Structures are given as structure tokens and as C-alpha cells.
DNA sequence: CCGTATCCTAAAGGATACTG
DNA sequence: CAGTATCCTTTAGGATACGG
């Protein structure tokens, strides 16, 4: 991956303006670009939650999809998983310190979404009209 | 979608801590969560480019995938498309003013990626070891 | 050069049933 | 409760060929 602004850093093993498939940042984009990850992290931001509580807050997510998402977040060190051996079993998911560092960038992205959504909606309508739906 | 921090805004038509499928921000997340969109916007950040130039800089993207991605970006008003009627035809893609406003949030996300990649890599190795590959 | 159309394969995603 | 396993359907994605 290249820079968004040249001064920011030195991209490891990446030529300027070329997104090689081995570029480390590509790996992370694949994670961030997941359908549910951002929402899971947002939900966990207020504190640890149990599986079904998370599930209830993400309308449309299936158990399978949420499990996969949580596993990947756990694997990447963004979320921790703790089994509480009661009967019936409880499992707590908690955002890690590393996961918390994602909060500022995500917050910026979220603010953008809220601020620009109306403009995007207008652009869509214009586009769809331009090409007879 | 809910807030990442309660003070930021008032989410339109969304209950606190609940990501409804009709919530406008979900629509945007679906766009941002696209595999190539962020890279396309990063590549276009330096100026307008032609289709095949963009394609060359995104290793592994197919013509079909890139076309789809650019159409969606155009539809959402983040990128503009201009046909230059030479022979053979040339098509220029350019980031729009609206698209440019995404730059700061993306830059923050990108900086995070570069900064935290090593930690993520360590977390992965630990996870994979915990569960016998 | 910049697509669209078609075909085909691979992967994602839902539904259901079952287990510690 | 929190998964895993299985099946099956749907969708995404690559490859190829062709058209404006």
C-alpha cells in the first residue's frame, strides 16, 4: 500500500503508489473491511459483553457470521475471549488495549459517515436517474 | 448504528447501541468495507488517472472488480468519471470534493495500520500457537 | 482503451440440528 | 449459552470473448 500523504511514514516493502499484495497494510485492510468488525468493536467499546448480547445488537448477523468475526478479531488481538465456567456456560468478549487504539480512527470514520450521508444519498439519486434506474 | 462515543452526535433513527439494518451509517460501512475502495481513493489522491493506470497500481484486481468498484464510488459521489472521446477512447477518474473529505479519516486509519501491524502479527502468532495451527 | 456479457468455479452465507 | 457441523443456496470472483 502507498501513502495517502507522502510525509506520513515509510511504507515497508512497498513502492510509492503501488498496492502490492504482499504489502502488510493490505492484510489489515482485509480485516477492517469486514462487514461486522467495526460494529462489534463499537458495541464492545462500552464494556465487555456476552455473545448473545452482542448478537442482539447487530441486526441481521447470524450466529455463524458473528462467531467467525469474533474469532478473527480475537486472532488479531483486538478482542479477548473469556469463558466463565458456570452452567450454562457464559462467554465474555472484551476489547483489548490494542483494539482500543482503533477507536480514534474509527470515530473519525464514523463522524464522516454521519456528516456526509445526505450528500452521498443525493449523489446516488443523481446517478440512478442518469441511467434510468 | 450507534456511537463510538455518546457525545459525538445524535444517530438518526437508531437506538443507542443497536445497529439496525435501516440505519444510514450501515449503508456507508458497506461501501467503505469494500475490498478495493480505500486503495482506489488513495491512488486517486494524487490526481486524476486513467482506468488502466489505476489497475496497474492495484496488484491482483481484475478488470471486472475494478469496474464495479469505480461504478460504486461514482454512484456514491466519491469519484467522477470523464470520457475523453479520442480514438482509442480514454477515461479519466478523479476524486470528487466529497471524496476528498474522506482523506483525513482514511489517513488516520492508515497510520494505525502501519503503527500497529507488528502487534497484530504477534497476536496472530500467539493465537495460532494456542490452537495447534 | 474501456468496458460489457457470458460462463464457470469458488467462496460466502443462511438454516438446521446437535454438543459440552 | 455458546458454539460446531452439515447441508444447501446464493453470491462473488476469475477467465475469456467480444463490442463501442
Amino acid at each position: 500500500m502507498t501513502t495517502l500523504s507522502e510525509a506520513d511514514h515509510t511504507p515497508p516493502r512497498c513502492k510509492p503508489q503501488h498496492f502490492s499484495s504482499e504489502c502488510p497494510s493490505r492484510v489489515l485492510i482485509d480485516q477492517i473491511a469486514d462487514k461486522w468488525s467495526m460494529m462489534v468493536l463499537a458495541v464492545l467499546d462500552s464494556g465487555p459483553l456476552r455473545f448473545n448480547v452482542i448478537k442482539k445488537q447487530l441486526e441481521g448477523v447470524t450466529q455463524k457470521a458473528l462467531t467467525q468475526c469474533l474469532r478473527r478479531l480475537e486472532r488479531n488481538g483486538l478482542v479477548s475471549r473469556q469463558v466463565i465456567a458456570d452452567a450454562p456456560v457464559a462467554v465474555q468478549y472484551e476489547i483489548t488495549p490494542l483494539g482500543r487504539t482503533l477507536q480514534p480512527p474509527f470515530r473519525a470514520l464514523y463522524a464522516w459517515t454521519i456528516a456526509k450521508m445526505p450528500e452521498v444519498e443525493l449523489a446516488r439519486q443523481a446517478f440512478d436517474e442518469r441511467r434510468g434506474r
Side-chain angles (χ1 to χ4, degrees), chain A:
Chain A
M1 186 174 180
T2 73
T3 61
L4 288 166
S5 149
E6 297 300 323
D8 282 348
H9 71 289
T10 314
R13 303 203 314 274
C14 290
K15 288 180 293 187
Q17 293 303 329
H18 184 256
F19 290 77
S20 131
S21 56
E22 296 95 42
C23 184
S25 67
R26 276 275 289 262
V27 181
L28 225 286
I29 284 179
D30 287 348
Q31 168 66 37
I32 288 167
D34 174 76
K35 186 176 180 180
W36 301 104
S37 292
M38 277 185 65
M39 297 185 228
V40 168
L41 288 175
V43 165
L44 287 179
D45 191 57
S46 54
L49 291 176
R50 294 173 57 167
F51 184 87
N52 278 327
V53 178
I54 301 172
K55 188 170 183 302
K56 279 198 192 69
Q57 302 192 29
L58 269 47
E59 188 177 304
V61 75
T62 62
Q63 189 182 43
K64 188 178 172 181
L66 182 56
T67 299
Q68 286 170 351
C69 178
L70 285 167
R71 282 297 164 282
R72 186 166 45 221
L73 286 170
E74 186 194 358
R75 178 168 186 262
N76 287 334
L78 303 180
V79 158
S80 67
R81 176 178 180 273
Q82 192 198 352
V83 180
I84 296 143
D86 286 337
V89 128
V91 180
Q92 286 242 119
Y93 288 93
E94 187 170 10
I95 199 164
T96 62
L98 177 60
R100 281 210 181 280
T101 64
L102 249 182
Q103 197 194 20
F106 273 8
R107 189 137 51 194
L109 207 52
Y110 183 60
W112 184 92
T113 302
I114 296 296
K116 303 300 184 184
M117 197 63 192
E119 273 187 74
V120 170
E121 195 47 51
L122 286 176
R124 288 183 178 199
Q125 287 169 16
F127 181 93
D128 290 344
E129 206 156 312
R130 255 195 326 274
R131 338 175 103 216
R133 189 132 298 270

